[in-house]
Every structure is written in C-alpha cells, then in structure tokens.
Amino acid sequence: MNKNKLKEFIFSLCSVMSVSGFEKRAEKPITELTAGMFDSTLTDAVGNRIFIKKCGKQNAPRVLIDAHLDEIGMIVTEVCKGGFLRIANLGGIDVSIMQAADVIVYGEKPLRGVIASTPPHLKKDDKLPAFSELLVDTGLSEDTLKELVDVGTPVGFAPIYGELLNGRLIGKSFDDKACAACALLAIAETPGEELAADVYVMLSATEETNRLGGVAAGAFRCDPDYAMVIDVNLARVPDTKDYETVEMDKGISISLSAATDRRLSMATAELCRRKDIPFSLIAAPSSTGTNATTVNLVGLGIPTVDVGLPLACMHTYNEVISMTDAMSLARLVREFVCSKEIAAEMTREEVSLI
Amino acid sequence: MTSEKLIERLCSAFGPSGREEAVAGLIKKEISDICPNAVYDRMGNLIAVMRFGDTSAEKRKRVMISAHMDEVGFMINEIKSNGTLGFDTVGGINESVMAGRRVSVLGEGGLMTGIIASKAIHHKDKKEREKAVKTEKLYIDIGAADGDEAKKYVSVGDFAVFDSPFYTFGEGLVKAKALDDRMGCAAMIQTMRALKKQPPEGDLDACFCFTVREEIGLSGAKAAAYRIKPDIAIVLETTAIADIEGVDPSGRVADVGGGVVVSVMDRSTIYCRPLVDLALRLGKQKGIKAQVKRYVSGGNDAGTIHKTGEGVKTVALSVPTRYLHSPACVASMEDYHSQQRLCEEILRAVCSTEEI
C-alpha cells in the first residue's frame, strides 16, 4: 500500500464530521470518499455504515472488520445571551483541553467558533470550569444565532491536520476513523479472489457515547463467523504505566481478554509473526474497553479479536498516530481477511440442540 | 492589502518576547515605501520617524506612538531522554489554555510543529480531572523518538509560540494568536500610511516605535522612550476583557463592538487626563466609537513610557480583546478601525493645539 495514499485517505476520512449520535450527517461525504471501492454498501437505522466485498466463492464464511465511525464532540444545550452557546460533552473529552479550542457548530450551515477562556489578567485561581460552564463564542448576535442554531445541534473540533517528526500525524478524530481508513483502503486494494471470506467492513455508530448501541445492531445484521474490532489504544507517554499502554512506532496491539476469543487472538498474533508485522500483546482482563467486548456477545456469539492502533493525546483535537503503525495495521487487515487458516478455523459448525 | 490580511500576516509571524526579528523584518518591509529610514535600536525596537511641517521650527510637537511586536510564548528548558521537551512560559499564559495545543518551536533548522501534551483523560483520576495540568507536568511532543533525536532539532533556550490559524468569523470578528499586539502594529502601519497620504497640518515629529519585550515587563519601550524623549505618547494596545455570558457587567472591563477603549487607569499607569478627554472629545466629533475602560486591570508600555525622563503625557488606545494571551484571541475589526482612526485624529489634533 502506498504510504501517502493512506495518509491522505486518513486525513480525508477524519475531516468528516461524525460526532457521536450524528453519524447520519457523515453519510454523504463518506459515500463520496469511498466511491467505487466496494461491491456494495448499506446503512441502518442506528447510523452504522457497512461496506461489503465478496470473495466470489459459494458458501464462503463471513468476516466482520469493525472500526467505529463516531468521534468525540459536543452538543448545544442552550443558546445564551450575547451570542454564546452552552454545550455538553459527547464522549469523554478532558475539560482541560477545551478552553481556546477551535470548533465548528454544525447548524444549518457550519459556523466557526472558539471556546471562551478567562485571560490571566482577570483570572483568580487554577480551577477548571465544569463542562457545563464552557461557552462557544460564535461572534454572532443573539438574534442571528437563534435563527441559525437550535438546542441539540452538534459541535465538532475543527479539522486541522499536520505532521510531527518520524511521520507522526496530528489532528482530530483519528479515534477511530484512522483505523477505519486503514481497513477500508486495505480491503479495497485486496483483489477479491485473494479473500478467504466475504468481508464486511463496518463503520459503527455511537461507540463514544453508548458502547452497547450501534455496533451490536450492525454485527447482528452482518452475522459474521468471526470478527476483528479495531480501535485506537493509549500510547505510552510520560507519567503512564507500561502495562496500560503500547509503545508508538512498534506496531499494533492485540488484546488478550476474557471478553474476546483467545483462539482467534492467538491465531492473529501468529499471523503477525509469520508475516513480519510488528505487534505487542496486552492484557485487558475483563473488558477491552472497545466494541470487541460487545461484538463477542452478539447473536449466537461471534469470535472476536481486539486490535489496537497506538494513539497519544486521546480525545483531544491533536491526537497523534504513527504512519508506520498505520501501515502495519493496514497490512494486518489484509493478511487477516486473506488467511485461509483463520477462515477454516473460525467457520462455524452447525450444531443442533435437539 | 486589506486590514484583515495585514493583521493575519502579522499575527502569523513568530515573535515571542526576545525573538521579535521575524515580526520586525515583516514590518520594516511593509513600511519601506513610507519610511525607508526606519532603524533598529540596541534593544531591537524598530523606530520610524515621520517629520511634518517646518522642520526648523523651535516649538515642534514630538509624539511617540508605540505598539509592541512580541507575543506570549514558551521557552524550552529541558530535552528529556524520552524525546519530549520541558518548557516554561514567556509572559503570562494560563495553564488552562496550554494542554492539547499545537505550538511552533523555532529550532536550529527553522520552525517545527509540536503539541503541548500530558497523559490522556483515561489515565487521570477524579481529582486530576478537576484542575488544569501544571506547566511542569506538561511537555512538548515534536515526535522525536528519543532525547538524542530531539537534540538534533531543538536546544535548551529555544522559543516556541502557539500555532493557531487566523480566521474571520461571526459578525466582523477575527480570531488569531498574538492579536496582542500585532493589531496595534497594524494600526501604526495604517496610520503611517494615512499621514503620508494626507500630512497633518502643524509641526510634528511622529515617532513610530514597534517595541520588544512588553510581555515580560515593558522593557523595550523604556529604551525607546528614553531615546525619543517625546512630549506625548500614544500607546496602541489590546486590552483583556470578559464581556461574556455569566460575567457580571462590573467585571467585563469593556465590550467587543463597543469601540476603541480609552484607559483612565490600569495597574501600571494613571493616564494624562487632558489627553483622555481629548481622545473622547475627538471620538465624538469625528464619529469614532470609543468606550472608557471600566476596570482597573492589566498594564502596557504606557507604564514605563509615562515615567521616562521628566515624564511623558500618555494615552492608551486599545482594541477590546477576548481571551487575551490564549491561542484564540477574539476582537472586532470595527473596534480596530476605531483605534486606528482615533490615533490618527489625535496626531492631527495635537500638533495644532496649545492645550496639551
């Protein structure tokens, strides 16, 4: 896969506004971005987006690749005096990064805004405001603002992308659309005849706000034989514990957890070893903290592996990922869906209870 | 060039206190057709003198107009073995606007991007989530793999500033870093242009000083004022205001859109009353929107200028600016134009009046 092509695709997909609960708004731009990449695509009632690529074989097994579509963001709770908006947190945003942030209010037409802050000349203590005390400054008069924005309007961070040293990318909502971009491009570039199963790539809804929401309905509909859930994983930074984090630039992570399928997880690790894809194993005892925990329990149960892309500054507008790791992830997705060994091992046997 | 474009170019330049060269170079080029003889003094202040009327006249008015070029920023004080950079602030910046922000670091090879980071919310306990992260717990991530790699690009003592895009938004507002005080610099440039086009009637030495190091304690203007020995000084500034929902009217200082702010008193100066009165009177006469600062807070170059030599009659004209010293300062273009016009009118008025 071409590195620059993947980078540009990540930037394009992550620029799309998909604040948790407002995934429907992303439908049109994502259709445009993925035109011609898949055999078919469908949406459902909760905002999931599913892309299908068939392997062309009869009675082929089905594999689901899930990455969540939604991003952290905000929702308008009040149009205040003086042209300000009060907002609530959609997904866990650290209030300490909010003041002075560039945001976009997605009303009838997108409006620029900045989060109000108190200057040092007038500030008296170092306490952070509660999220409900934050205000979006839209620069508009109260009357104009009332015409353009209603309570319930989504607000997102402004998409401003850049790069650090060593091919690290910075910007908003790599969590989790960067993973979605890796999966979409990897599958689109794999010739159908190489696939070991029919592939369903799902960009699932409402992970950030309601983990039992979107993905369960989508996985139920796809009814796969096995699944890979891809989400970002907390990168190791100063002041964090090694066992809770993964090192950046050292490849992807595979979770070992009571909440996912150990056989599939080990098979995926073995695949990485065989294909020289850098990875590390992490322990996530009773929950992966991702959609994997949910997918595993859908329908009759779906054997699921949880894969992570290391990401620093999670849940900010300047999330950091490594292009090297993104390339590793794209390679793993391709090898995973082409692996005849895994497909054979995971194809379900029909068991009659009576 | 439109005023917006001029302000955008000035605000985008790299210029924390002590490293104003890029801003000064930009301004020198911008005024080269009006004042080719603009000079730097030993401190790095850029001084451009425009002389009008009878240059041999004994009773000439000598006016210093000043705006500072520097912005608040950061200095790298440690290159850590893990490749991240420790830093401290240059000028007053609240910790609540630092975490998560993008910065430009000026290293050996030029500007590079970094992020002011700390651990993610997922790793913070309840107590840690309630307070801003202390500067010493924050670090700048430039993507370096380790300390050795970081040292190839950055050294202790290098500067950084916020990296934040300029844009116009809402009803006639602008958002940028460093509006404090690149707006004042822009107003000086446009005043110089206006005086060149239509010279004032009277014997006037207008000494335009683009000063350094205001943010760390008003230091550049002191040397400039000492050299110029003006009769009168006009300081063009931004002033921190809080005209937002939830703030009591008494604490708002001034209002965006309410016109240029004329200070009566702040924490460093009691302003020359006749000059304050002249400014307010001219505002009324010429239809320039002006408001009086309603709170004793802040300070600016006036604090050092007015005490220079035998004393200097000083007035400050400020653009009321929200979220000062943050990466996202917000001000109104209409207020900016009021500042520029009032400065120009005062210059035209003082050389033909005996009052001051």
Side-chain angles (χ1 to χ4, degrees):
Chain A
M1 182 180 289
N2 181 289
K3 213 174 194 173
N4 273 329
K5 190 176 174 192
L6 178 59
K7 184 174 83 183
E8 290 311 318
F9 191 57
I10 289 173
F11 285 161
S12 307
L13 191 64
C14 295
S15 297
V16 172
M17 190 285 282
S18 61
V19 168
S20 204
F22 295 91
E23 294 84 354
K24 291 260 178 212
R25 300 256 196 124
E27 204 173 304
K28 207 173 143 224
I30 288 180
T31 301
E32 282 162 17
L33 280 172
T34 54
M37 286 168 73
F38 285 83
D39 297 341
S40 56
T41 171
L42 51 97
T43 57
D44 68 11
V46 294
N48 295 311
R49 181 69 183 264
I50 298 164
F51 295 90
I52 304 162
K53 186 157 182 168
K54 296 273 172 80
C55 65
K57 296 167 199 83
Q58 290 242 309
N59 300 321
R62 278 196 293 276
V63 59
L64 170 68
I65 310 288
D66 169 74
H68 67 85
L69 170 59
D70 61 320
E71 61 180 296
I72 50 154
M74 298 132 271
I75 185 168
V76 173
T77 56
E78 186 187 348
V79 182
C80 306
K81 279 190 197 130
F84 294 92
L85 299 171
R86 200 176 298 287
I87 47 174
N89 196 340
L90 282 181
I93 306 174
D94 188 345
V95 75
S96 78
I97 61 130
M98 286 301 294
Q99 294 183 66
D102 293 303
V103 298
I104 296 176
V105 180
Y106 290 94
E108 274 176 45
K109 55 172 188 176
L111 299 172
R112 285 184 185 280
V114 300
I115 306 293
S117 65
T118 313
H121 321 70
L122 304 170
K123 197 170 162 69
K124 302 205 165 60
D125 58 44
D126 68 342
K127 256 197 85 176
L128 287 171
F131 214 95
S132 59
E133 291 172 285
L134 294 175
L135 296 169
V136 180
D137 184 346
T138 62
L140 292 170
S141 68
E142 202 177 323
D143 293 341
T144 313
L145 191 56
K146 282 202 164 132
E147 271 174 37
L148 295 175
V149 179
D150 291 325
V151 165
T153 300
V155 179
F157 291 125
I160 307 166
Y161 292 95
E163 283 182 62
L164 303 179
L165 294 176
N166 292 313
R168 296 201 182 160
L169 311 184
I170 51 173
K172 71 136 183 127
S173 70
F174 292 143
D175 176 5
D176 188 24
K177 294 201 285 288
C179 296
C182 292
L184 286 171
L185 204 56
I187 304 294
E189 288 193 353
T190 307
E193 57 274 19
E194 284 182 27
L195 298 174
D198 289 342
V199 183
Y200 293 72
V201 183
M202 175 158 64
L203 274 54
S204 52
T206 62
E207 191 270 351
E208 297 291 0
T209 43
N210 177 9
R211 193 159 295 141
L212 295 174
V215 74
F220 188 84
R221 184 172 193 180
C222 295
D223 189 24
D225 294 270
Y226 57 109
M228 174 188 279
V229 167
I230 316 171
D231 207 336
V232 294
N233 207 343
L234 290 152
R236 192 160 305 158
V237 298
D239 215 14
T240 56
K241 297 183 183 84
D242 284 3
Y243 70 83
E244 290 180 330
T245 53
V246 283
E247 221 173 326
M248 207 168 243
D249 279 334
K250 300 279 163 67
I252 51 101
S253 66
I254 297 171
S255 309
L256 294 179
S257 172
T260 56
D261 191 89
R262 192 165 184 97
R263 212 162 41 124
L264 182 58
S265 304
M266 291 317 229
T268 308
E270 184 49 36
L271 182 67
C272 286
R273 269 187 216 106
R274 247 189 5 251
K275 301 289 180 183
D276 246 345
I277 298 169
F279 76 101
S280 57
L281 291 173
I282 56 161
S286 50
S287 170
T288 57
T290 66
N291 276 341
T293 305
T294 309
V295 171
N296 194 45
L297 287 176
V298 166
L300 295 171
I302 302 168
T304 303
V305 57
D306 181 62
V307 168
L309 176 72
L311 180 145
C313 301
M314 199 181 284
H315 287 194
T316 75
Y317 34 77
N318 277 322
E319 295 183 326
V320 187
I321 57 168
S322 141
M323 245 344 265
T324 318
D325 294 338
M327 289 294 282
S328 298
L329 176 60
R331 276 181 58 213
L332 173 60
V333 170
R334 179 173 179 148
E335 296 296 348
F336 185 77
V337 296
C338 292
S339 168
K340 296 196 171 60
E341 294 82 357
I342 291 179
E345 201 173 336
M346 290 299 145
T347 304
R348 65 192 132 178
E349 296 152 30
E350 292 303 329
V351 181
S352 173
L353 290 181
I354 308 161
Chain B
M1 201 186 316
T2 62
S3 306
E4 282 90 346
K5 196 78 208 153
L6 177 62
I7 292 168
E8 175 175 6
R9 285 187 57 196
L10 290 169
C11 287
S12 305
F14 182 97
S17 308
R19 286 309 297 268
E20 297 88 350
E21 306 93 290
V23 185
L26 205 67
I27 294 170
K28 195 161 193 292
K29 212 171 148 207
E30 188 57 39
I31 60 172
S32 58
D33 61 322
I34 318 167
C35 217
N37 302 327
V39 291
Y40 292 109
D41 72 2
R42 306 182 193 188
M43 303 284 290
N45 298 308
L46 178 64
I47 303 174
V49 180
M50 294 177 83
R51 309 194 80 192
F52 300 99
D54 177 5
T55 47
S56 62
E58 237 172 70
K59 275 193 151 183
R60 294 177 61 76
K61 277 273 160 51
R62 202 165 167 77
V63 182
M64 171 175 174
I65 309 97
S66 125
H68 66 89
M69 297 184 287
D70 60 320
E71 64 187 298
V72 293
F74 310 94
M75 186 182 274
I76 309 305
N77 59 15
E78 186 186 0
I79 317 277
K80 301 180 195 204
S81 57
N82 60 23
T84 64
L85 316 176
F87 67 92
D88 205 348
T89 54
V90 176
I93 307 176
N94 274 342
E95 280 150 347
S96 56
V97 297
M98 285 189 220
R101 312 303 316 195
R102 215 173 279 190
V103 291
S104 299
V105 184
L106 183 60
E108 196 126 319
L111 287 175
M112 54 198 306
T113 305
I115 294 168
I116 301 182
S118 70
K119 60 185 177 183
I121 182 173
H122 310 71
H123 289 136
K124 290 183 179 175
D125 62 30
K126 194 170 171 290
K127 251 192 168 163
E128 287 175 309
R129 290 180 186 192
E130 283 170 1
K131 276 195 172 176
V133 187
K134 292 268 168 228
T135 309
E136 61 264 26
K137 282 271 183 191
L138 294 167
Y139 55 87
I140 294 174
D141 181 359
I142 52 168
D146 54 34
D148 287 337
E149 191 187 14
K151 279 179 191 161
K152 284 187 210 158
Y153 297 93
V154 184
S155 308
V156 165
D158 283 351
F159 282 95
V161 297
F162 286 123
D163 170 4
S164 171
F166 170 97
Y167 53 75
T168 55
F169 78 117
E171 284 156 16
L173 303 192
V174 292
K175 172 261 161 183
K177 74 164 176 84
L179 283 178
D180 173 12
D181 186 25
R182 308 283 161 76
M183 269 194 152
C185 295
M188 289 217 318
I189 293 168
Q190 294 198 315
T191 300
M192 290 172 75
R193 228 171 257 298
L195 293 184
K196 174 94 175 175
K197 205 170 162 194
Q198 193 194 341
E201 289 161 16
D203 303 324
L204 171 72
D205 290 339
C207 309
F208 291 89
C209 301
F210 300 89
T211 63
V212 296
R213 298 194 220 162
E214 191 268 355
E215 296 296 358
I216 55 158
L218 332 173
S219 56
K222 190 172 182 191
Y226 186 82
R227 175 181 295 252
I228 290 163
K229 296 189 174 57
D231 306 307
I232 294 168
I234 304 171
V235 175
L236 301 183
E237 257 288 8
T238 51
T239 194
I241 61 164
D243 64 333
I244 58 176
E245 159 76 10
V247 176
D248 195 75
S250 64
R252 294 185 171 207
V253 185
D255 299 296
V256 160
V260 56
V261 177
V262 181
S263 302
V264 175
M265 174 181 171
D266 59 34
R267 295 178 70 87
S268 64
T269 314
I270 293 175
Y271 291 87
C272 169
R273 190 70 217 192
L275 263 179
V276 169
D277 290 340
L278 174 70
L280 295 172
R281 198 167 64 238
L282 281 171
K284 262 190 204 131
Q285 276 171 12
K286 308 283 178 183
I288 303 166
K289 236 173 161 183
Q291 56 187 325
V292 172
K293 187 169 173 175
R294 307 194 298 265
Y295 198 79
V296 180
S297 62
N300 55 48
D301 274 345
T304 172
I305 294 170
H306 84 284
K307 289 185 284 197
T308 304
E310 293 168 23
V312 180
K313 291 176 173 172
T314 304
V315 66
L317 309 176
S318 303
V319 177
T321 307
R322 291 176 184 154
Y323 329 128
L324 215 66
H325 291 196
S326 89
C329 310
V330 169
S332 140
M333 283 306 294
E334 196 189 311
D335 294 337
Y336 164 79
H337 290 299
S338 300
Q339 178 194 43
Q340 188 277 319
R341 283 185 59 209
L342 190 55
C343 171
E344 184 185 332
E345 292 300 341
I346 293 175
L347 283 170
R348 293 188 191 285
V350 287
C351 55
S352 56
T353 176
E354 283 307 308
E355 197 180 329
I356 294 158

